[in-house]
Amino acid sequence: VDFLNVTFDPVYSQGASFDLQPLDVNGPASFVAGQNTVGLTHLGANGANAGMNTNYTFRVYLSSNDNIDATDTLLSTQFYGWNYGPVSSVVVNMGGVTIPANTPPGNYYLGVIYDNATDVNTVNNDSDGWDALPISVLSADLVATALAGPSVTNPGQSFDVSNTVHNNGNAATGLFRVGLYLSPDNICTGADTLIGNRVLSLGGSGTSAGGRGGGQSGWFDHSDERA
């Protein structure tokens, strides 16, 4: 029934053609950009007097608002099979999705849109409003904030270099390597000569300061660091 203005709508009736819509998207409250996240579900609801037994295609989108549409960021295309009876529903266990790694941290929504070929009524094939899942996107953002060492040294001579790395993001990084490179110019790339490194991890907004000594045979660790 439709309930409006403290009265039941007496003219409402269920349709005679199969009418599937995605409701009540559920899952984790936060997602780390670039990582696959599982545990999503939605309610596939048939509100019509007709049933359907076939395979169904739906797509998962990331949106900046709770009005999910096909112009939002497509995360995944998924399928499932089910025999829907008249006026019935099923909880659909969805596959994992990955938020793009370059997604800025912030608040977003996840929603589902069924293919228009699923049923005859295409206006309710998306999960909007309270049926969209509000989420927080977490992301790591590493930056080297300090680097210091001698201005002059000789081949084969050991020397110390201090460096500081900061995570501007709100997600933990996992283990990563900080590489120190020798370059003939002031633009260092991975094509230059790697002469030292240290391995660490950083939490959200974490900072790590460390140093390395080097010489003719390469660089060595002063300490193992975790943050």
Side-chain angles (χ1 to χ4, degrees):
V1 298
D2 284 346
F3 186 72
L4 183 65
N5 297 327
V6 201
T7 61
F8 286 103
D9 184 351
V11 299
Y12 179 83
S13 62
Q14 285 138 345
S17 299
F18 181 67
D19 184 11
L20 184 62
Q21 55 184 309
L23 307 176
D24 194 26
V25 179
N26 272 291
S30 62
F31 289 66
V32 177
Q35 294 185 12
N36 184 267
T37 302
V38 298
L40 286 167
T41 65
H42 75 268
L43 186 70
N46 170 31
N49 287 324
M52 181 73 72
N53 182 13
T54 187
N55 293 320
Y56 310 94
T57 301
F58 65 90
R59 291 172 172 82
V60 186
Y61 290 88
L62 176 71
S63 175
S64 60
N65 55 61
D66 63 1
N67 183 24
I68 310 300
D69 61 48
T71 64
D72 292 322
T73 302
L74 176 63
L75 302 181
S76 176
T77 300
Q78 302 188 21
F79 314 87
Y80 72 96
W82 190 254
N83 184 8
Y84 282 97
V87 192
S88 63
S89 63
V90 64
V91 175
V92 179
N93 294 310
M94 299 157 60
V97 298
T98 300
I99 304 295
N102 61 351
T103 302
N107 297 322
Y108 297 85
Y109 289 85
L110 282 183
V112 168
I113 301 179
Y114 276 95
D115 274 4
N116 285 341
T118 299
D119 54 23
V120 297
N121 182 15
T122 61
V123 299
N124 61 2
N125 283 354
D126 53 354
S127 50
D128 289 335
W130 58 29
D131 290 312
L133 173 66
I135 65 169
S136 295
V137 172
L138 310 179
S139 179
D141 181 16
L142 295 174
V143 60
T145 58
L147 181 67
S151 59
V152 178
T153 188
N154 296 317
Q157 176 183 344
S158 296
F159 57 94
D160 292 327
V161 175
S162 63
N163 57 89
T164 302
V165 181
H166 179 69
N167 181 7
N168 285 331
N170 54 2
T173 63
L175 289 176
F176 66 95
R177 187 186 75 171
V178 178
L180 299 174
Y181 289 83
L182 182 66
S183 174
D185 53 39
N186 62 354
I187 301 176
C188 287
T189 71
D192 292 320
T193 302
L194 178 67
I195 56 177
N197 69 86
R198 62 191 182 102
V199 177
L200 64 148
S201 63
L202 288 173
S205 302
T207 298
S208 174
R212 290 294 177 265
Q216 188 175 25
S217 61
W219 294 64
F220 58 90
D221 291 345
H222 284 317
S223 62
D224 289 329
E225 299 191 24
R226 299 291 184 270

